[in-house]
Amino acid sequence: MDNGLVTFFDVTNCGFYRIRQAAANIQKQEELIKGSLANTLTLVTQWLNGREFSQTIPWDVDSNPFKSKVYCKDYYSDPITGQFLFVFCKALTNDSGALNGFIEDAKVGTSDTDVVRVNNKSKGRKLIYGQPMYYWFIPELNLIASINFKHSIASTENVTDYFKKCIDNYIQTQNRKVATRTIYNSKTNRDIM
C-alpha cells in the first residue's frame, strides 16, 4: 500500500453568483443565484460521460497553447455519501506530443545529443504522457482534498480552473445558454474559438 499526503481546502463559493458593487463602501457583494459544489460536480460528470480521454480538456487547446493540459481519466461518485473522487492527468508533453528526456550523466554544456525525444506512440497507439492528480470532493462539508502519492502531483489551481472552464464553456443550465463562436485575433493572426 502506498502512503499519501492529503491536503484539505475549503470551498467558499461554488455555483452561479450575482456580483453587485456596494455603493457606500465599494465592496463587492455576492449573491448565490443557483448551484452548489454537489450540483457542479454532478454537471461536470454528466459532461464527462462517454467522452474519450483526449476530449476531456474543457477549453480550446489551440487558442490556449501555453495553458497546462489537464484531462479527466476517471471519477467515482458515492450515492450514499454524495462524495466524489476524481483522477485527473496533467500532460507533460508539448503540442506535438513529444516528451524530451535528458541523459542523466551528461555534462553541463555538452551537445544537444544529450536530449532524447521519446515517441508518443506505443504498439501503434498514441499516448498522452502525464502525471495523475487525485482529488476527493466532500460537498456536505464544502471541502476539496488533494491526495498526493509518490507517483502523482497536486495542482489545485489547475483542477479548480478545470471545473470553472467546464461550467463556462460546456454546461447549459436554465437561464444560461452556451454557444461556440470563432473570432479572428489580429495580434496572433489566427482564429480563437
Side-chain angles (χ1 to χ4, degrees):
M1 180 169 264
D2 204 5
N3 292 327
L5 174 66
V6 179
T7 306
F8 291 91
F9 302 91
D10 288 320
V11 177
T12 54
N13 295 335
C14 190
F16 294 99
Y17 286 80
R18 178 178 295 134
I19 300 175
R20 296 182 183 200
Q21 195 77 17
N25 57 9
I26 310 174
Q27 188 176 26
K28 291 181 182 178
Q29 295 177 344
E30 297 174 349
E31 174 189 357
L32 179 63
I33 302 299
K34 179 180 178 180
S36 65
L37 179 57
N39 179 250
T40 299
L41 294 166
T42 300
L43 290 171
V44 171
T45 57
Q46 289 171 354
W47 178 74
L48 288 168
N49 280 338
R51 291 190 176 277
E52 290 182 10
F53 176 69
S54 64
Q55 300 301 313
T56 61
I57 298 177
W59 56 84
D60 182 32
V61 175
D62 294 333
S63 300
N64 299 281
F66 301 112
K67 186 177 182 75
S68 296
K69 293 179 184 177
V70 177
Y71 301 88
C72 183
K73 175 59 181 127
D74 203 359
Y75 68 88
Y76 172 75
S77 61
D78 188 310
I80 297 169
T81 64
Q83 297 176 17
F84 291 76
L85 181 66
F86 279 82
V87 180
F88 295 99
C89 174
K90 185 173 182 181
L92 300 175
T93 58
N94 63 20
D95 287 341
S96 68
L99 179 65
N100 294 324
F102 296 84
I103 297 175
E104 181 180 23
D105 59 355
K107 302 290 183 212
V108 174
T110 56
S111 73
D112 59 354
T113 59
D114 295 335
V115 178
V116 179
R117 178 158 287 184
V118 179
N119 190 337
N120 66 341
K121 292 193 178 207
S122 173
K123 298 180 184 175
R125 300 179 83 181
K126 192 171 179 178
L127 303 174
I128 296 173
Y129 293 105
Q131 290 186 289
M133 300 185 295
Y134 302 96
Y135 280 83
W136 173 27
F137 294 82
I138 311 167
E140 76 178 79
L141 300 176
N142 281 330
L143 290 175
I144 298 174
S146 65
I147 308 167
N148 203 357
F149 298 105
K150 291 177 190 175
H151 68 277
S152 67
I153 61 169
S155 181
T156 304
E157 184 177 330
N158 281 329
V159 169
T160 55
D161 185 53
Y162 185 94
F163 282 93
K164 181 177 181 346
K165 295 301 183 206
C166 279
I167 297 295
D168 288 349
N169 296 333
Y170 294 104
I171 307 297
Q172 292 190 41
T173 62
Q174 185 181 8
N175 300 328
R176 182 176 182 271
K177 301 289 182 219
V178 177
T180 304
R181 64 185 176 135
T182 304
I183 300 170
Y184 179 74
N185 184 337
S186 60
K187 291 180 182 177
T188 61
N189 198 27
R190 65 178 182 200
D191 289 334
I192 297 175
M193 202 168 142

